[in-house]
Amino acid sequence: MSAPGYPSPQQPPYPMPQPSPYGGAPYSGPPGGYGDPGQAPPVGFQMGYQPQPGQPVMYQPGPANPMPYQSPMANPEFGAGNMGQGPMATGSPAVPMSVAVGVPPGLEYLTQIDQILVHQKVELLEAFIGFETNNKYEIKNSMGQKIYNAKEKNDCCTRNCCGSLRSFDMKIKDNTDREVIRLVRPFRCASCWCPCCLQELEVQAPPGTTIGYVVQDWHPCLPKFSILGPSRETILKLDGPCCACNCCGDINFELKGKDGDAPIGRISKQWSGLLKEAFTDADNFGIQFPLDMDVKVKAVLLGACFLIDFMFFEKVNDEKQRNTVFS
């Protein structure tokens, strides 16, 4: 008897592999390795990341450095008495991914864009009966992807009695429902002949840390504002038109340097259509600024957009609201 696993001498030998008549390998099988790099991808295949317009931006990254490569010999062997000691432990520990210096948490995405769109949501209760509700906004990038949500926090009496002059706290949250910016507006009366009661808005990022102010400058006719830093130093100027009303066109507030020189950006009240403009106070805004502008100043400009909305474009239903409340 032959040893297990070996053929018996009486058995015929195994057949030898026959060459393929097509000149290939003796045995047919699936081709190995990767496909031909020169071959075109199938129809419908999308190369790279394809963002969908209108979808929220769930990942808002900031600048980060990749982790350095470490040789496997730099780590201590298993069972070593003291970690990080001895001749084998010469490598440095893993360095965590760095974040942008000086950028408040949640505002990293603003470092990558030079334009913001602000869309106010239409409230049906406010549109039909004139009962003022808390304003809600969607903040989007130029592709229409939602990056932040903003909601006014106020009480019913203040909203319907004070109208567009009301004080408020506005919370701006990212798509993970984390509050990243808070806007605080104190109550001020509206009179161009009273310089001591000019409008003002405080911008905090993160909430509790003031990064700037938006302050109205006195002028008898023109809407003018100053963008201030946390120490109330003047950084930029914002100049509006003499008549802040539009008819089938946009209204532009030009952003200039602190000396009032050439414009470097703007805040635009966009025309929303005849029906929406006539029967609601839901407005659309666009904010343009230099890409390399300080991210904190970009956040203050976002606050300036909301202050402009309340001062000049929230007055559509004020008289109707007062008649509803006091009738």
Side-chain angles (χ1 to χ4, degrees):
M1 179 180 295
S2 61
Y6 293 92
S8 173
Q10 289 78 18
Q11 294 181 355
Y14 291 111
M16 298 296 294
Q18 300 297 325
S20 173
Y22 303 100
Y27 300 105
S28 61
Y34 297 97
D36 184 7
Q39 185 178 3
V43 179
F45 180 78
Q46 301 291 335
M47 298 296 292
Y49 172 69
Q50 300 292 330
Q52 298 295 328
Q55 296 296 324
V57 178
M58 298 305 298
Y59 177 57
Q60 300 171 345
N65 297 326
M67 297 179 62
Y69 173 76
Q70 292 184 347
S71 173
M73 296 300 295
N75 296 325
E77 296 181 352
F78 293 102
N82 295 324
M83 299 295 292
Q85 298 181 1
M88 297 298 293
T90 58
S92 59
V95 179
M97 299 182 68
S98 61
V99 296
V101 179
V103 177
L107 303 187
E108 295 86 358
Y109 186 74
L110 294 182
T111 62
Q112 309 173 26
I113 56 178
D114 59 356
Q115 184 178 4
I116 298 177
L117 305 178
V118 180
H119 295 166
Q120 183 177 356
K121 296 183 179 180
V122 178
E123 299 294 335
L124 297 179
L125 184 64
E126 180 178 337
F128 283 105
I129 68 174
F131 186 85
E132 183 69 32
T133 58
N134 284 323
N135 288 358
K136 299 178 182 179
Y137 303 85
E138 287 185 349
I139 304 170
K140 304 178 181 181
N141 59 14
S142 59
M143 298 181 59
Q145 295 175 305
K146 185 174 63 176
I147 55 178
Y148 298 112
N149 290 300
K151 182 178 180 180
E152 175 191 1
K153 182 181 178 181
N154 215 326
D155 60 272
C156 176
C157 181
T158 302
R159 289 195 308 268
N160 291 277
C161 294
C162 299
S164 60
L165 300 177
R166 62 185 181 266
S167 61
F168 63 80
D169 287 356
M170 183 173 293
K171 296 181 178 181
I172 301 178
K173 300 181 179 181
D174 60 10
N175 292 323
T176 62
D177 203 34
R178 176 183 59 169
E179 184 180 359
V180 295
I181 303 175
R182 179 174 297 177
L183 309 178
V184 180
R185 182 197 184 190
F187 176 78
R188 294 285 192 274
C189 64
S191 176
C192 61
W193 305 109
C194 187
C196 61
C197 294
L198 298 176
Q199 299 294 317
E200 182 177 321
L201 181 75
E202 179 184 356
V203 183
Q204 302 176 1
T209 302
T210 302
I211 62 172
Y213 300 87
V214 183
V215 178
Q216 181 187 10
D217 296 335
W218 183 87
H219 195 278
C221 300
L222 298 178
K224 291 179 174 290
F225 300 89
S226 292
I227 307 299
L228 309 181
S231 302
R232 291 187 172 272
E233 69 279 10
T234 302
I235 301 177
L236 297 171
K237 293 288 186 178
L238 196 61
D239 297 340
C242 179
C243 182
C245 63
N246 60 344
C247 182
C248 302
D250 297 346
I251 303 176
N252 297 323
F253 291 77
E254 301 295 339
L255 180 65
K256 303 179 180 180
K258 61 181 180 179
D259 298 328
D261 47 3
I264 60 175
R266 65 178 50 175
I267 297 178
S268 300
K269 163 65 173 66
Q270 301 172 348
W271 174 254
S272 304
L274 182 60
L275 293 178
K276 191 174 181 181
E277 294 283 347
F279 297 102
T280 70
D281 56 1
D283 302 313
N284 297 331
F285 289 87
I287 309 174
Q288 298 178 359
F289 39 71
L291 180 64
D292 57 350
M293 178 179 285
D294 187 357
V295 66
K296 297 180 181 179
V297 181
K298 294 181 181 181
V300 178
L301 289 178
L302 181 60
C305 178
F306 291 112
L307 181 60
I308 290 174
D309 181 31
F310 273 85
M311 288 182 59
F312 302 105
F313 307 106
E314 190 72 11
K315 300 178 180 180
V316 176
N317 293 326
D318 275 3
E319 188 64 30
K320 183 171 63 174
Q321 292 159 9
R322 293 190 183 95
N323 294 335
T324 304
V325 173
F326 294 107
S327 59

